[in-house]
Amino acid sequence: MADDFYLFANCHFIPDKYDDWQAAYDKLAEYVWANEPTTKTYYFGIPLDYAHDFSKTTSMLAFEVYGTRDDLYKTHLSSPAMSPFLAQTPQTTICGLDLNHYRLLSGFLDLSGDKTEAGIIHQTQITCTDSAARASLVPLLKNLIAGVEKQEKENGGKSGVLTYMGFECLDDETGLRILGRWKTREDMEAFLRREDVSKFWSEARNLVRAIDQRGFVPNGKGWLHR
């Protein structure tokens, strides 16, 4: 996992065009699953705003994992199935590919190993004040994640934490990202109020310029891992 190439992508839809985009994606995913073993994760979240009706969503988060950068750009985006998919996206989206590249700092994607589906996904994008601040924040984040993983393994996953991962942005020198998945929203809310999580944010306060947080629900497509 540590050597894999991580991608967070934002899909922005023309209102009421999500279903058309999804139909085109379903054909692409069938090809990718059968022919691209280096596309290790293909996982999607709909904003909580539209949890009641996916068809009306105007955006979606894509979390993807590849073996290497070339597996994304030379294999996946250049595949025979990608061209017809991309040809259809101008009719369903309001902008082109919005891609953000990361490397894994620490964490776990599937604690139990059984691909339990999440009730909620939560991501936090952190913009540090400068590169030096990010360098200072990284060990604090890794320490938090290590503690979470240790505790979850000791309690048998009873806290409902399915995924908790920290990433460093490869596109700039100030970005970090945290991705979490929980069995229920109640599990997530309890987690966010844990003492170790609060302590991390207290220590990070002077190192951070901006934070963007958002919750999602899985759309039931793609795969968490092979």
Side-chain angles (χ1 to χ4, degrees), residues 18-36:
Y18 165 75
D19 288 343
D20 293 340
W21 181 95
Q22 189 63 66
Y25 162 82
D26 287 343
K27 296 178 182 178
L28 172 64
E30 182 177 353
Y31 174 90
V32 173
W33 178 261
N35 297 280
E36 296 180 19

Side-chain angles (χ1 to χ4, degrees), residues 21-94:
W21 181 95
Q22 189 63 66
Y25 162 82
D26 287 343
K27 296 178 182 178
L28 172 64
E30 182 177 353
Y31 174 90
V32 173
W33 178 261
N35 297 280
E36 296 180 19
T38 54
T39 302
K40 299 181 177 184
T41 294
Y42 223 27
Y43 193 69
F44 306 92
I46 302 295
L48 290 179
D49 317 50
Y50 292 100
H52 66 290
D53 189 346
F54 288 5
S55 296
K56 294 185 182 302
T57 190
T58 55
S59 66
M60 184 180 71
L61 174 70
F63 172 61
E64 304 174 21
V65 183
Y66 298 88
T68 66
R69 189 183 187 99
D70 282 352
D71 291 332
L72 168 61
Y73 283 102
K74 293 186 177 180
T75 300
H76 182 59
L77 292 179
S78 300
S79 76
M82 184 58 72
S83 294
F85 171 72
L86 292 178
Q88 297 180 59
T89 57
Q91 290 77 49
T92 59
T93 58
I94 60 175

Side-chain angles (χ1 to χ4, degrees), residues 82-146:
M82 184 58 72
S83 294
F85 171 72
L86 292 178
Q88 297 180 59
T89 57
Q91 290 77 49
T92 59
T93 58
I94 60 175
C95 68
L97 298 176
D98 179 0
L99 309 181
N100 305 275
H101 312 89
Y102 289 80
R103 73 176 184 89
L104 179 66
L105 292 172
S106 181
F108 51 93
L109 177 61
D110 180 16
L111 185 66
S112 66
D114 62 7
K115 301 183 184 179
T116 298
E117 186 55 281
I120 192 167
I121 306 164
H122 188 269
Q123 71 148 358
T124 304
Q125 289 180 257
I126 302 170
T127 304
C128 297
T129 55
D130 54 30
S131 60
R134 185 171 80 170
S136 297
L137 188 52
V138 163
L140 299 179
L141 178 56
K142 292 172 72 173
N143 184 62
L144 169 64
I145 294 170

Side-chain angles (χ1 to χ4, degrees), residues 48 120-126 141 144-145 148 151-152 159-165 177-202 211-216:
L48 290 179
I120 192 167
I121 306 164
H122 188 269
Q123 71 148 358
T124 304
Q125 289 180 257
I126 302 170
L141 178 56
L144 169 64
I145 294 170
V148 170
Q151 181 172 329
E152 292 307 308
S159 301
V161 186
L162 304 174
T163 294
Y164 202 62
M165 308 174 81
R177 193 180 295 235
I178 303 171
L179 178 70
R181 298 168 58 250
W182 289 265
K183 289 182 180 179
T184 68
R185 179 160 188 161
E186 291 74 19
D187 291 332
M188 182 197 75
E189 297 290 359
F191 179 90
L192 295 177
R193 289 158 178 79
R194 283 171 45 153
E195 182 178 351
D196 54 348
V197 176
S198 295
K199 181 174 182 290
F200 166 76
W201 288 115
S202 177
I211 296 175
D212 180 59
Q213 304 182 70
R214 193 159 197 187
F216 303 84

